[in-house]
Amino acid sequence: MRALVFKDFGAVEVVDVPKPQIQEPDDALVRVTTAAICGSDLHVLNGRIPGMTAGGTLGHEFVGVVEGVGSAVTRLHEGDRVVGSFLIPCGVCWYCKRGLFSRCPDQRVFGYGSFFGDVAGAQAEYVRVPKADLTLHPVHSHMTDEHAIFVGDIFTTGYECAVEARITAGDTVAVVGCGPVGLMTIIAAKEFGPSKIYAVDTVSQRLEMAQTFGAIPVDGTAVHAPTFIQDATDGRGADEVLECVGMVPALLDAIDMVRPGGRVSIIGVHSDPDLPMALNMTFVRAVDLKFCGTANVIGRWDDALEIIDSGRAHPDDIISHRMKLDDAVRGYELFDSREALKVVLTP
Ligand SMILES: [Zn+2]
Ligand SMILES: [Zn+2]
């Protein structure tokens, strides 16, 4: 079968690899009908997430059809349409038993290399899905692949950030970072009825998209964003700030932007070891910092599916490029250069 594989740091290629087989009783084999390229695939590509070896298949966002199941799979059957979670939990530990799947110490991730369980990715014609009863969610026949694929990662990730921000109707919200996850967070935040959502970024294409989703764009190249947000809120700051960048300067801006007693919900992936924060001022201002960590997609995807299925959210609006799996190398180039906002691949 065809698959997009890691070649070396910064390089991928589409090659023929053996078709995967069911290996464990709780596996399913899925024929992939749509896969997507995600920002975190780039972390694997550039080595920020180490442990990927040459020839490893990338990709953790997919929709497909179950082609076969192992003897222990009970919820799924051959022919079912499914969306996959990027995360594969163990299903039996203290955290998994409480539905806190993203805190599972034995979690694996599709296409993420040896430190994440060495599970082949889904940018391929077929993918083997461990713990299939948990890792796959059925998709209604009337829901398109391009809607469903967002539930397995980035829409549900944005939804988690919005839930953890505990937005109350009428609040003023600021979203820092309008990449794909930031844009999903804007859509998800609307579920909670804020009066205004400010969207902070430095890329005009992203700000325009944020505006189409109903947010007020704040161009960080033109204004000092924390001052702008404070000026727009009688000097207080936003009630909730949703940080979707994962860089120290963005997090410090988010802390500056929130009002005293407000909350910063952090879904950006942070890899720096330290945060040089004004601890005394943050204490006095009683800022609530909520680190979401890896999103609990499996714990929240029922809600995420309902929001999309009801027509209230259209995450597929961010799809900028549709291409064949065989052209996926070009898709990575477009995504890496930020020319593409979201790339979907079909066999
Ligand atoms: Zn992803
Ligand atoms: Zn577990």
Side-chain angles (χ1 to χ4, degrees), residues 100-149:
L100 304 168
F101 299 107
S102 50
R103 301 285 80 79
C104 172
D106 295 318
Q107 62 184 271
R108 292 176 277 175
V109 177
F110 290 100
Y112 246 47
S114 56
F115 292 109
F116 289 88
D118 233 345
V119 184
Q123 287 161 5
E125 290 180 84
Y126 293 88
V127 60
R128 178 181 78 89
V129 179
K131 309 286 176 190
D133 277 337
L134 271 177
T135 309
L136 296 174
H137 194 298
V139 175
H140 292 308
S141 57
H142 60 263
M143 185 180 264
T144 64
D145 278 18
E146 291 191 357
H147 270 144
I149 198 162

Side-chain angles (χ1 to χ4, degrees), residues 38 40 60-61 153-154:
C38 177
S40 40
H60 56 261
E61 299 183 3
D153 186 0
I154 67 170

Side-chain angles (χ1 to χ4, degrees), residues 13-287:
E13 59 184 341
V14 178
V15 297
D16 285 312
V17 301
K19 182 179 168 182
Q21 307 290 328
I22 288 171
Q23 294 172 13
E24 303 289 338
D26 50 8
D27 283 354
L29 181 67
V30 171
R31 176 171 57 81
V32 177
T33 51
T34 301
I37 302 175
C38 177
S40 40
D41 292 328
L42 298 180
H43 300 331
V44 179
L45 189 61
N46 63 28
R48 265 182 80 187
I49 293 171
M52 189 53 129
T53 46
T57 303
L58 273 79
H60 56 261
E61 299 183 3
F62 65 98
V63 177
V65 177
V66 174
E67 194 166 275
V69 294
S71 56
V73 174
T74 58
R75 289 180 55 230
L76 301 158
H77 305 92
E78 191 181 329
D80 287 351
R81 275 183 76 224
V82 288
V83 56
S85 158
F86 72 89
L87 182 78
I88 307 161
C90 83
V92 295
C93 72
W94 190 93
Y95 294 98
C96 284
K97 281 182 183 157
R98 286 157 181 80
L100 304 168
F101 299 107
S102 50
R103 301 285 80 79
C104 172
D106 295 318
Q107 62 184 271
R108 292 176 277 175
V109 177
F110 290 100
Y112 246 47
S114 56
F115 292 109
F116 289 88
D118 233 345
V119 184
Q123 287 161 5
E125 290 180 84
Y126 293 88
V127 60
R128 178 181 78 89
V129 179
K131 309 286 176 190
D133 277 337
L134 271 177
T135 309
L136 296 174
H137 194 298
V139 175
H140 292 308
S141 57
H142 60 263
M143 185 180 264
T144 64
D145 278 18
E146 291 191 357
H147 270 144
I149 198 162
F150 286 92
V151 173
D153 186 0
I154 67 170
F155 178 71
T156 310
T157 294
Y159 179 68
E160 169 126 330
C161 182
V163 170
E164 295 295 350
R166 289 188 266 144
I167 300 161
T168 306
D171 281 356
T172 296
V173 169
V175 175
V176 178
C178 301
V181 169
L183 291 168
M184 294 298 107
T185 303
I186 290 169
I187 308 177
K190 285 156 69 176
E191 283 292 303
F192 303 95
S195 62
K196 287 193 179 96
I197 302 175
Y198 291 96
V200 182
D201 204 289
T202 55
V203 180
S204 58
Q205 179 207 19
R206 294 173 167 197
L207 288 168
E208 284 162 23
M209 186 62 75
Q211 195 167 14
T212 69
F213 288 144
I216 302 161
V218 180
D219 183 349
T221 64
V223 297
H224 180 245
T227 305
F228 183 93
I229 300 293
Q230 281 154 14
D231 289 349
T233 52
D234 296 329
R236 285 191 310 276
D239 298 302
E240 292 88 22
V241 180
L242 286 59
E243 195 269 300
C244 308
V245 178
M247 304 285 277
V248 165
L251 179 52
L252 292 175
D253 272 358
I255 294 169
D256 276 354
M257 252 175 236
V258 77
R259 69 162 166 81
R263 187 170 301 101
V264 181
S265 178
I266 301 149
I267 201 76
V269 178
H270 286 271
S271 53
D272 283 285
D274 298 305
L275 178 66
M277 183 175 69
L279 179 58
N280 48 358
M281 285 306 296
T282 311
F283 171 79
V284 168
R285 294 171 60 235
V287 174

